[in-house]
Amino acid sequence: MLEDVVVLAGSGLNSTKIAKGIAERLTIRYSNLEASTFPDSEIYVRVPVKDVTGKHIIYVQSTAPKEQKQKGKERIPQSQSLMELFLTLDTFKEKKAKMVDIIVPYFAHARQDKEFNTGEIISTRTIAKMLKGLGINRLFTVDVHAHRETGAYQFGRWKNFLGVQAYNITAARALARYIKNDLGIQSPIVIIPDEGHRPIAEKIKDILTPETVIFLYKKRISAKLVRFKRVETLNLKGKDVVIFDDMISTGTTVINASEFAMDKGARNVVVAVTHTLYINDARKRLLKTGVSEIVATDTIPGKDSHVPIAPIIAGSLKEILD
Ligand code: R5P
């Protein structure tokens, strides 16, 4: 069955490395797809037709923003990788792929999954409509944020995401294993500062055996400002604290959670997240709060990518493909 399966990667951040890692672990063929930009920044894609027609494609395309090397610190926006994703999917369809599964390690726009204020776009829903229209069979995401109206994702279970079969893979167990085995932390106080990330508590409990799990209630005032309803009676004196979230963007959420833990007397604070966008100087500001370690995956590669995502994705795919 696996002779018909081919892994292809787009030019999205770290997508080739992740795709190759998956192909290697599952002993599936990896083939090259050409994706680049024209000088005016329009997108060019060319697929290897013999590896597409009649094949079951596993296409890896991350939609994280990328640092633009030639222009200093400027970022290539998510929309470029998203557009490439759409164009490539259409080509797979035109070239008559038998089946198309897509893996989007970092799923852009997933946080705008609700009409927070009347008239706002629900970006996640629009993307799902595009994916459905382009005829994908299944969508795999990694700790995707969309958990409200559009998806109600649950880990390790197929969901119907506006007509697209979707499966959300979590890195939480691997992050927890790293914290236990490599940092030697056992039975910490776990803090989950974002409501949507609550199901993580169940996932990690047999590995880290937390003494307590604290859910903070966050109110986002703006993109840069969140407020927590704090648990005033808590005493964290001398405790190891691990803060779990899906991502760090501006850092506001985990910075606030770390300050909260420090205020309550924690002796050691570790932050565990799947995706580290680190907008502006988020990493520096977070470390300044006293965090001893940030443990992340390489969906967005960087200094804190201690946990590679390819084996985690491959593990989930194996169960599904076998
Ligand atoms: C909630 O919306 C997410 O789970 C994260 O807490 C959030 O996206 C992190 O964003 P920031 O780092 O800007 O607070």
Side-chain angles (χ1 to χ4, degrees):
M1 169 200 156
L2 291 187
E3 300 93 70
D4 264 3
V5 188
V6 181
V7 180
L8 289 158
S11 74
L13 190 67
N14 222 20
S15 302
T16 304
K17 184 177 169 215
I18 297 172
K20 284 185 176 164
I22 294 170
E24 221 174 86
R25 274 172 186 85
L26 297 180
T27 51
I28 294 174
R29 206 150 61 79
Y30 174 83
S31 172
N32 282 312
L33 175 156
E34 264 180 86
S36 58
T37 44
F38 288 107
D40 64 353
S41 81
E42 287 183 1
I43 291 157
Y44 173 85
V45 175
R46 184 175 182 203
V47 303
V49 179
K50 67 170 181 21
D51 292 327
V52 171
T53 309
K55 302 283 195 248
H56 171 180
I57 310 281
I58 297 178
Y59 171 50
V60 181
Q61 170 70 331
S62 191
T63 56
K66 293 194 270 185
E67 297 273 320
Q68 180 136 250
K69 287 191 189 92
Q70 64 273 39
K71 283 193 194 160
K73 286 230 164 222
E74 222 172 283
R75 285 169 194 256
I76 299 175
Q78 295 87 328
S79 37
Q80 187 153 330
S81 308
L82 266 177
M83 187 65 184
E84 183 189 309
L85 172 75
F86 299 147
L87 296 176
T88 308
L89 289 176
D90 195 38
T91 317
F92 289 157
K93 202 172 158 199
E94 288 297 321
K95 295 298 170 197
K96 308 222 167 346
K98 184 172 78 185
M99 179 164 179
V100 179
D101 286 334
I102 62 168
I103 300 172
V104 187
Y106 177 84
F107 191 104
H109 292 290
R111 282 175 292 168
Q112 187 68 31
D113 62 343
K114 180 182 162 182
E115 192 178 356
F116 296 92
N117 300 298
T118 317
E120 283 177 350
I121 187 170
I122 302 175
S123 315
T124 320
R125 186 180 63 194
T126 309
I127 294 170
K129 282 183 187 167
M130 301 282 281
L131 297 178
K132 187 180 173 203
L134 290 166
I136 68 157
N137 295 85
R138 299 182 293 194
L139 163 68
F140 294 88
T141 52
V142 179
D143 288 310
V144 69
H145 185 76
H147 60 86
R148 280 182 274 250
E149 299 165 8
T150 50
Y153 277 94
Q154 281 161 22
F155 297 111
R157 252 200 267 163
W158 287 102
K159 294 299 291 181
N160 186 322
F161 176 31
L162 297 164
V164 173
Q165 276 277 90
Y167 192 96
N168 192 28
I169 296 165
T170 182
R173 289 181 66 76
L175 296 171
R177 257 181 246 117
Y178 181 92
I179 291 164
K180 178 182 168 188
N181 301 333
D182 293 70
L183 304 183
I185 295 175
Q186 186 70 60
S187 303
I189 306 285
V190 166
I191 296 183
I192 301 191
D194 188 82
E195 237 190 311
H197 218 49
R198 274 175 168 244
I200 288 307
E202 262 314 291
K203 287 278 159 194
I204 51 130
K205 82 172 182 211
D206 61 321
I207 301 170
L208 283 180
T209 56
E211 188 182 316
T212 321
V213 180
I214 300 167
F215 300 105
L216 296 179
Y217 291 88
K218 177 172 96 174
K219 186 166 165 51
R220 190 170 278 277
I221 315 295
S222 69
K224 290 193 181 149
L225 185 66
V226 297
R227 284 215 181 95
F228 287 115
K229 206 168 121 194
R230 297 191 160 186
V231 189
E232 297 308 334
T233 52
L234 203 76
N235 183 359
L236 299 178
K237 222 175 194 128
K239 303 282 185 193
D240 286 325
V241 170
V242 181
I243 301 168
F244 270 93
D245 205 353
D246 54 350
M247 66 159 82
I248 298 175
S249 177
T250 63
T252 311
T253 305
V254 284
I255 287 170
N256 275 271
S258 168
E259 284 170 353
F260 162 77
M262 291 295 181
D263 280 359
K264 301 279 173 207
R267 74 159 178 191
N268 179 30
V269 177
V270 169
V271 170
V273 292
T274 305
H275 316 285
T276 47
L277 282 173
Y278 287 145
I279 301 304
N280 298 329
D281 55 354
R283 183 173 191 272
K284 211 163 130 195
R285 288 187 294 116
L286 176 58
L287 291 173
K288 242 181 162 173
T289 66
V291 161
S292 65
E293 195 81 44
I294 305 168
V295 184
T297 75
D298 60 353
T299 56
I300 298 174
K303 285 189 186 144
D304 306 311
S305 301
H306 300 295
V307 175
I309 202 67
I312 302 171
I313 298 175
S316 294
L317 282 181
K318 190 164 169 33
E319 287 168 25
I320 291 157
L321 294 174
D322 276 352

